[in-house]
């Protein structure tokens, strides 16, 4: 598969086989992130691969958050279970964050570079026959959720990558805007 095909055919996959990726497979994906373009080469991205204990801690935080945000009439047990279950969708979860830079321009650039690094991981997974999904769950905007996965104050989370082997056929590509919708040719 060449780069053009990989970009065109990568899809968000939300149903995964239960087996986690091996450590070598995950390392092989994260190793590619280093090729993201990055002004000043600060290498600002961090990828935390969630293990059994951090997953349990994250589920607890997600359950507590779901209950705290719910109306009083809602059933707390149902809400907690649903919030936790969402974190079982993929066998391998990776938190993507950026190390904040005190310089506002570099901070913005580093965040962009980290998004590219995350996309490289998804694209590499696809090129290797694996599946991925970039999710931005509310629990990673919550102090207890961040603590559960060890993200310190000096980092900002961009997403939670779900990785594994697809348990569904890729769906049709969601429609994209036309070139004329976003390309502006200036005199
Ligand atoms: C920064 C970012 C955040 C995303 N967050 C979510 C999310 O929270 N939930 C979700 O279902 N999809 C999320 N997605 C996936 C997009 O919905 C998906 O890429 C889009 O529907 C296009 O589908 P495709 O990836 O198959 O081309 C996110 C994608 C990006 C790049």
């Amino acid at each position: 598969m060449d780069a053009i095909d990989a970009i065109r055919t990568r899809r968000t996959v939300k149903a995964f086989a239960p087996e986690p990726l091996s450590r070598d497979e995950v390392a092989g994906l994260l190793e590619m992130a280093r090729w993201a373009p990055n002004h000043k080469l600060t290498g600002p991205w961090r990828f935390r691969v969630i293990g059994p204990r951090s997953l349990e801690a994250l589920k607890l935080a997600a359950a507590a958050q779901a209950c705290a945000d719910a109306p009083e009439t809602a059933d707390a047990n149902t809400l907690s279970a649903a919030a936790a279950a969402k974190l079982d969708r993929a066998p391998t979860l990776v938190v993507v964050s950026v190390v904040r830079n005190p310089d506002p321009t570099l901070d913005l650039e580093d965040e962009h570079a980290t998004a590219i690094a995350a996309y490289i991981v998804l694209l590499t997974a696809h090129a290797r026959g694996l599946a991925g999904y970039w999710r931005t769950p509310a629990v990673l905007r919550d102090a207890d959720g961040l603590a559960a996965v060890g993200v310190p104050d000096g980092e900002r989370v961009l997403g939670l990558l779900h990785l594994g082997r697809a348990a569904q056929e890729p769906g049709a590509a969601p429609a994209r805007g036309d070139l004329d919708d976003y390309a502006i040719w200036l005199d």
Side-chain angles (χ1 to χ4, degrees):
M1 183 184 309
D2 69 15
I4 305 286
D5 281 342
I7 290 167
R8 282 211 176 106
T9 60
R10 179 211 53 82
R11 291 278 71 79
T12 290
V13 169
K14 296 187 177 177
F16 296 86
E19 300 76 35
L21 301 185
S22 70
R23 192 182 176 108
D24 281 353
E25 283 176 312
V26 178
L29 300 179
L30 302 185
E31 188 277 329
M32 289 297 291
R34 76 178 73 209
W35 298 108
N38 171 214
H39 195 193
K40 310 283 187 194
L41 299 178
T42 54
W45 40 78
R46 297 291 180 271
F47 293 89
R48 288 182 172 81
V49 184
I50 292 186
R53 263 186 295 185
S54 41
L55 180 60
E56 284 316 305
L58 191 62
K59 284 179 175 178
L60 285 175
Q65 184 189 41
C67 291
D69 292 348
E72 273 179 30
T73 49
D75 178 56
N77 288 336
T78 309
L79 285 174
S80 301
K86 282 187 184 171
L87 293 163
D88 280 328
R89 279 183 188 160
T92 300
L93 297 175
V94 181
V95 181
V96 184
S97 59
V98 58
V99 177
R100 303 300 306 267
N101 193 303
D103 177 294
T105 302
L106 283 177
D107 195 43
L108 188 63
E109 291 177 340
D110 281 351
E111 188 164 323
H112 295 166
T114 299
I116 295 168
Y119 177 61
I120 287 175
V121 171
L122 291 178
L123 204 57
T124 303
H126 172 57
R128 293 184 178 165
L130 304 171
Y133 164 23
W134 183 329
R135 208 181 140 219
T136 45
V139 68
L140 290 179
R141 293 185 287 278
D142 172 87
D144 289 340
L146 295 173
V149 292
V151 175
D153 283 347
E155 293 180 27
R156 176 161 194 250
V157 170
L158 272 69
L160 181 65
L161 298 185
H162 293 40
L163 297 166
R165 292 177 176 79
Q168 66 180 63
E169 289 301 313
R176 264 32 186 202
D178 292 329
L179 176 68
D180 288 343
D181 294 338
Y182 58 83
I184 299 153
W185 309 92
L186 303 177
D187 290 334

